Amino acid sequence: MEIPTTSNLNNVVQPILSKSKEFNTFLQSSIEDAGLVRKFVSKPLVWLDADENILNAFDKLSNQKLLSAPIYCSISRQWVSILDIKDLVKFVVSLFDDNNNLVKDINPKDITIRTILTNSNGVFKRQCPMISKNDTILNLLDLFNKKFHRVCIALSDEQMDIKVYSQLTLIKWLDKHLKELGLFNKLKPVIQINHNKLAIDAFRLLAENNIYGVPIVSDNGELMDNISVIDIKYVKMDKAKLLQPLSEFFYPTVGNAYPIPLREPIVCAPQTRLREAIGRVASGKVHRIFLVKEVVDAGVSQVPINVVSVSDIVGCVVNLTGLKSNLPKQ
């Protein structure tokens, strides 16, 4: 579960960062001056056309291991939105009822990105988050604060000359610059799923809670694995795959058309400092780490009690800047 930054955390870190000349200078510097433009010069832009079908979207995001991509409309010749992998998960889940019966038997080749990203009146549900390389880091954080996990940066006046900047990239900067700060205070109960549940149940849980990942636990509550929205790429609109138990979904069977690699979740203890947590996220290039407690009863070693995501850490920094979001929680 993605958790909000606690007021206790702000009380601890505000006096430290408010006096940090380096931090304030960083906030006011332009994206170009901070070196972010140079970092992305060699990286090709991955984008999607609004009228491409969703299977192409699946393939492009999966092949590039991306969670989102900007959407360009060839008709109006402008950037119109951004596709998040959560949009694809929600679309797949919408094809089933609560009893996992297929209620919409459609041909994915007939469904375009425009179809799932627009309202009934044809207007895109969200605009493409776009800023200039001359905007400040504070402008970038403001968009992150408005629930965008990736932001497009215009490098010049050329329409296609843009790059995408993610929250994880910011975390890598924090890994090099922030001092140790306490993070784990009064955390909310974790959203998790049993390993006997079906894959479609897991994706429905992600869709209904609008989150990117949840831990998978055994019958006695021990952390076994985790499932995230990016794992929808292994389904390829395959109903049989969606109806597999999670214990089988993640098992790489010989000859399986969609082999799933076994993963070891990254964990930390309640006493872990923010500096260490950020380091684990940055070095592992993961979007979440699991806060666990040690339990000796019934042979259980690690029980998840919360999840700390990239968004949580970025949210902490956003709060420290004084930015306030007027948008409802997603």
Side-chain angles (χ1 to χ4, degrees), residues 151-170:
V151 174
C152 297
I153 300 176
L155 304 183
S156 69
D157 293 334
E158 295 292 329
Q159 189 78 6
M160 305 302 290
D161 190 18
I162 69 171
K163 296 296 180 182
V164 179
Y165 186 81
S166 71
Q167 289 184 336
L168 185 57
T169 305
L170 178 62

Side-chain angles (χ1 to χ4, degrees), residues 56-94:
N56 287 343
F58 266 112
D59 289 339
K60 285 188 178 180
L61 293 182
S62 299
N63 293 339
Q64 298 294 327
K65 298 181 180 180
L66 296 175
L67 290 175
S68 61
I71 305 302
Y72 185 77
C73 178
S74 299
I75 299 174
S76 61
R77 296 185 179 181
Q78 60 182 339
W79 297 102
V80 291
S81 189
I82 190 164
L83 177 72
D84 193 291
I85 195 72
K86 287 194 298 185
D87 298 315
L88 299 176
V89 170
K90 291 177 180 178
F91 171 74
V92 171
V93 170
S94 72

Side-chain angles (χ1 to χ4, degrees), residues 5-6 30 54 89 114 166 169 176 180 184 250 270 299 330:
T5 304
T6 65
S30 72
I54 58 171
V89 170
R114 187 187 299 273
S166 71
T169 305
K176 297 179 180 179
E180 289 194 353
F184 308 117
F250 287 99
Q330 294 189 353

Side-chain angles (χ1 to χ4, degrees), residues 272-309:
T272 301
R273 306 293 288 179
L274 177 59
R275 178 65 180 81
E276 182 181 350
I278 289 176
R280 294 185 186 183
V281 170
S283 63
K285 297 181 180 180
V286 295
H287 290 83
R288 69 196 61 81
I289 56 177
F290 297 94
L291 178 65
V292 299
K293 64 179 181 180
E294 298 294 329
V295 178
V296 296
D297 294 342
V300 180
S301 59
Q302 295 180 333
V303 174
I305 58 177
N306 217 298
V307 179
V308 178
S309 70

Side-chain angles (χ1 to χ4, degrees), residues 3-268:
I3 57 174
T5 304
T6 65
S7 58
N8 282 356
L9 173 59
N10 286 332
N11 292 336
V12 172
V13 298
Q14 183 69 61
I16 298 175
L17 290 186
S18 63
K19 297 178 182 178
S20 172
K21 181 179 180 180
E22 182 183 16
F23 182 72
N24 289 325
T25 300
F26 171 72
L27 291 178
Q28 297 302 325
S29 61
S30 72
I31 292 171
E32 183 174 32
D33 290 341
L36 301 183
V37 173
R38 294 192 301 273
K39 178 180 178 61
F40 295 125
V41 166
S42 61
K43 293 187 176 181
L45 174 67
V46 179
W47 60 279
L48 299 163
D49 190 277
D51 295 301
E52 284 188 61
N53 70 62
I54 58 171
L55 290 180
N56 287 343
F58 266 112
D59 289 339
K60 285 188 178 180
L61 293 182
S62 299
N63 293 339
Q64 298 294 327
K65 298 181 180 180
L66 296 175
L67 290 175
S68 61
I71 305 302
Y72 185 77
C73 178
S74 299
I75 299 174
S76 61
R77 296 185 179 181
Q78 60 182 339
W79 297 102
V80 291
S81 189
I82 190 164
L83 177 72
D84 193 291
I85 195 72
K86 287 194 298 185
D87 298 315
L88 299 176
V89 170
K90 291 177 180 178
F91 171 74
V92 171
V93 170
S94 72
L95 303 180
F96 296 80
D97 61 20
D98 291 340
N99 295 318
N100 295 330
N101 296 311
L102 189 65
V103 293
K104 298 178 184 178
D105 191 8
I106 63 173
N107 186 347
K109 294 182 179 179
D110 297 330
I111 305 298
T112 66
I113 295 172
R114 187 187 299 273
T115 303
I116 65 176
L117 288 188
T118 56
N119 296 314
S120 56
N121 58 4
V123 176
F124 283 91
K125 298 174 185 177
R126 58 175 176 270
Q127 298 302 306
C128 183
M130 182 77 70
I131 57 178
S132 164
K133 67 178 182 180
N134 298 318
D135 284 311
T136 67
I137 301 301
L138 196 61
N139 297 137
L140 178 65
L141 287 172
D142 186 35
L143 283 175
F144 284 153
N145 193 40
K146 293 174 180 176
K147 310 303 180 184
F148 290 107
H149 293 262
R150 282 163 181 75
V151 174
C152 297
I153 300 176
L155 304 183
S156 69
D157 293 334
E158 295 292 329
Q159 189 78 6
M160 305 302 290
D161 190 18
I162 69 171
K163 296 296 180 182
V164 179
Y165 186 81
S166 71
Q167 289 184 336
L168 185 57
T169 305
L170 178 62
I171 292 300
K172 292 178 181 179
W173 181 90
L174 292 174
D175 181 39
K176 297 179 180 179
H177 293 79
L178 278 187
K179 297 179 181 180
E180 289 194 353
L181 303 168
L183 176 62
F184 308 117
N185 297 294
K186 296 183 178 179
L187 302 181
K188 294 183 178 180
V190 64
I191 295 178
Q192 59 189 28
I193 189 167
N194 186 277
H195 70 118
N196 291 316
K197 290 287 188 177
L198 305 182
I200 182 65
D201 295 323
F203 289 123
R204 181 179 294 110
L205 187 65
L206 296 175
E208 291 177 349
N209 289 278
N210 198 34
I211 54 180
Y212 282 90
V214 294
I216 299 173
V217 298
S218 64
D219 292 335
N220 54 10
E222 184 173 9
L223 179 64
M224 298 179 65
D225 206 323
N226 70 103
I227 186 168
S228 68
V229 289
I230 195 65
D231 293 323
I232 195 71
K233 68 183 180 181
Y234 298 113
V235 174
K236 300 288 185 179
M237 306 300 291
D238 186 342
K239 178 183 177 182
K241 192 68 183 172
L242 286 167
L243 297 180
Q244 275 190 318
L246 291 173
S247 57
E248 298 178 13
F249 184 85
F250 287 99
Y251 188 78
T253 305
V254 176
N256 191 336
Y258 317 116
I260 312 297
L262 295 177
R263 292 83 49 88
E264 183 176 350
I266 295 180
V267 301
C268 60

